[in-house]
Amino acid sequence: MAERMVVIGADATGMSAASQARRLRGADELEIVVFEKGRHASYSACGIPYWVSGDVAEADDLIARSPEEHRARAIDLRLRTEVIELDIAGRQVLSRDLDTGDETWTGYDKLVLATGATPIRPPLPGIDADGVFGVQTLDDGEDLIEALVSSSGRDAVVVGAGYIGVEMAEALIRRGFRVTMVTRGPEPMSTLDPDMGALVREAMVGMGIRLVTGTEVTGVRTDADGHVRAVLTADTEYPADVVVLGLGVRPATDLARRAGLPLGESGGLLTDLAQRVRGHDDIWAGGDCVEVLDLVSGELVHIALGTHANKHGQVIGTGIGGGYATFPGVVGTAVSKVCDLEVARTGLLEDDAERAGLQFHTVTIESTGRAGYFPGAEPMTVKMLAERRTGRLLGVQIVGREGAAKRVDIAAVALTARMTVEQMTALDLGYAPPFSPVWDPVLVAARAATRAVARGD
C-alpha cells in the first residue's frame, strides 16, 4: 500500500516539497494530498506589490504552476480547504471545506507543515475595519486591488516601513493615491541601519510620499458603515480610504502550537537540518513558519523569504522521497527597490551584532556603479561591518541606483565562506567600465574595513 504525504499549505515550500517527492516516488508508492485554504497555489508572493503597482499585468503571471498541472502529476491539491486541527498521536489532520463547511479527517504517514506567515495586525481599535489590508497572499492582493479600483477617495496610509510597506507605498503612488507612511522607527527600512535608511527616506519623499517617523499608530477611525476613514496617532490623524499594514509578519503556527509542536522565541517551528520538526520523525516544516540558523550570529531567527522557502521544500521533498538533503542556514540576504533606488543588505546590522555580543568596526564608502567617466555612472553607498581583531565580515548594506542591489551577492558569498574583509580585497571580480570601476564598490568598502581593523580604532 502506498504511503500518504499530507502537505498543509500550497505555496513555495508546500508545492516544492510535493513536486520533489513526486519526482522521486511514483503515485503507486506515495500518495500526495495538499490542503490550501486560499484560492491559489504555487505563486510568487514577492511579486504582489508589482502586481498592485501595474508592473505585472495579471495574477496569473505570478503563478508558477496551475492547480491542474499539479493534479496532472498525481498531486491531490485541495483549494479552499483549511486544516483546523492536528492529531499527532493519531497521525491525522482535520480539514474544513470553506465553501460547504464539511469537515473530514485525513490520515498521514508523512506530514509537511508549510503554513507560511501572517501579517502583523496589532490589537488597536478599528484595525480589523473594512479597508485595512495585510498583504501576504495572492488572495490578499486580489482583495486590495479590488478595493483600490472601487475606492472613491484617493488617500492611502501605509503603517510600517519594512520591505513590504515601502514597496506597497510605491505601488499606491503609482496607482494615483496620496500616500502617507507612518512608522515608529527613526527611518524607513528597519532592515537597514538608520544612517542607510535615511537614504531611502530621501527617495521616498522625492516620490511624493509623506513620511511620518518616530510615531506610533493608536487606532483606526471608521465611518458609520465600518469603513476606514483615518489612521490615528497620539497627536493627529491621517485621512485614509485604504490602509495597508507593513509591520512585518509572524509565523503562522497556531495550528502547530495547539498540537504541542516545538516553537522558538519568534513563534516559528524548530526543525533539524533536514527540516524535520524536532522530536517528530514523520513531520517536516519549512518556509515562513519556521526558524532558521543565522550563520553569522549563530542564533535562530525568523526570516520570511521565498528563496529560503523554496529551498526548504526541495530539502523536505528529497527526504520524503528517499534521498538526503539538508538546509544549513542563512546569512540574511534581501534586496528591494524604491522607484529607481536599489536597496540591499546581508549579514548583521549594528544592533544585530551588538545583541550577539560581537565587537566590530563599521565603514561607509561612496562610489559609483560604473567607471566614473562612463555615461550613466550613478552614486552608490556601501556600509560594511567587520569583527574587531579577526576582521571577519559581519554584514553589508548597499543603497544606490542601477546595478547596486545585486552586488550584495558578493558579500553573501563572503559571509557564507566566513571570509575576512582582507581576504575579500583580493577577490577576482569582473571589471569593465560599463559595469564597475576598477575597484568594485564592495571591494572599496572591504579595503576601508581592512584598514579600520588594522588600526584597531
Side-chain angles (χ1 to χ4, degrees), residues 118-136:
T118 57
I120 293 173
R121 191 177 285 257
L124 299 174
I127 199 70
D128 293 321
D130 184 27
V132 179
F133 297 90
V135 183
Q136 181 70 12

Side-chain angles (χ1 to χ4, degrees), residues 3-284:
E3 288 188 309
R4 179 182 290 154
M5 171 185 181
V6 168
V7 181
I8 305 174
D11 198 11
T13 296
M15 296 317 298
S16 290
S19 296
Q20 178 68 356
R22 176 55 75 230
R23 290 186 192 100
L24 298 175
R25 298 181 67 181
D28 58 333
E29 296 181 18
L30 184 68
E31 177 188 358
I32 302 176
V33 180
V34 182
F35 295 102
E36 168 56 50
K37 66 181 179 181
R39 300 186 293 266
H40 304 280
S42 293
Y43 57 87
S44 171
C46 299
I48 293 172
Y50 307 106
W51 174 35
V52 174
S53 72
D55 287 331
V56 175
E58 299 178 0
D60 287 349
D61 295 333
L62 299 178
I63 295 175
R65 184 171 289 167
S66 70
E68 292 73 25
E69 289 175 304
H70 286 300
R71 291 166 184 150
R73 301 180 67 234
I75 296 174
D76 182 2
L77 174 57
R78 305 179 187 180
L79 299 177
R80 296 280 299 157
T81 307
E82 181 178 11
V83 173
I84 57 176
E85 185 177 342
L86 304 180
D87 176 6
I88 302 301
R91 296 163 66 91
Q92 59 182 345
V93 304
L94 178 62
S95 63
R96 176 182 295 148
D97 186 311
L98 296 179
D99 294 321
T100 67
D102 294 340
E103 295 184 359
T104 307
W105 284 100
T106 304
Y108 66 82
D109 298 289
K110 315 288 186 183
L111 176 64
V112 179
L113 301 177
T115 48
T118 57
I120 293 173
R121 191 177 285 257
L124 299 174
I127 199 70
D128 293 321
D130 184 27
V132 179
F133 297 90
V135 183
Q136 181 70 12
T137 67
L138 209 59
D139 292 359
D140 296 334
E142 284 181 332
D143 293 342
L144 175 58
I145 289 175
E146 182 179 341
L148 296 176
V149 170
S150 62
S151 176
S152 57
R154 309 307 293 172
D155 287 306
V157 174
V158 178
V159 181
Y163 284 111
I164 290 296
V166 168
E167 290 171 355
M168 291 306 305
E170 178 181 353
L172 292 167
I173 280 281
R174 295 183 59 185
R175 280 269 178 176
F177 281 74
R178 295 179 292 270
V179 178
T180 299
M181 172 174 279
V182 183
T183 176
R184 64 183 180 183
E187 299 290 352
M189 300 290 279
S190 59
T191 49
L192 301 176
D193 287 326
D195 55 334
M196 298 295 279
L199 302 177
V200 179
R201 170 204 279 269
E202 293 176 11
M204 295 181 69
V205 172
M207 292 171 58
I209 296 170
R210 177 167 57 174
L211 193 55
V212 183
T213 58
T215 301
E216 292 272 4
V217 169
T218 59
V220 172
R221 180 169 62 80
T222 61
D223 60 20
D225 296 324
H227 192 280
V228 62
R229 283 293 169 253
V231 169
L232 310 177
T233 67
D235 301 322
T236 188
E237 64 177 50
Y238 299 97
D241 302 290
V242 174
V243 174
V244 175
L245 301 177
L247 296 165
V249 297
R250 60 167 56 96
T253 50
D254 286 347
L255 195 63
R257 180 182 289 105
R258 294 198 301 271
L261 296 178
L263 305 180
E265 289 186 9
S266 74
L269 279 154
L270 298 176
T271 68
D272 63 16
L273 291 176
Q275 297 302 132
R276 276 191 174 93
V277 174
R278 294 183 187 177
H280 297 269
D281 289 343
D282 55 357
I283 304 177
W284 287 255

Side-chain angles (χ1 to χ4, degrees), residues 363 365 384 421-422 424-426 439-453 455:
V363 297
I365 64 97
M384 185 170 286
V421 288
E422 184 175 10
M424 288 181 67
T425 64
W439 282 92
D440 188 272
V442 173
L443 299 191
V444 174
R447 292 178 70 186
T450 298
R451 292 192 294 269
V453 171
R455 290 193 305 266

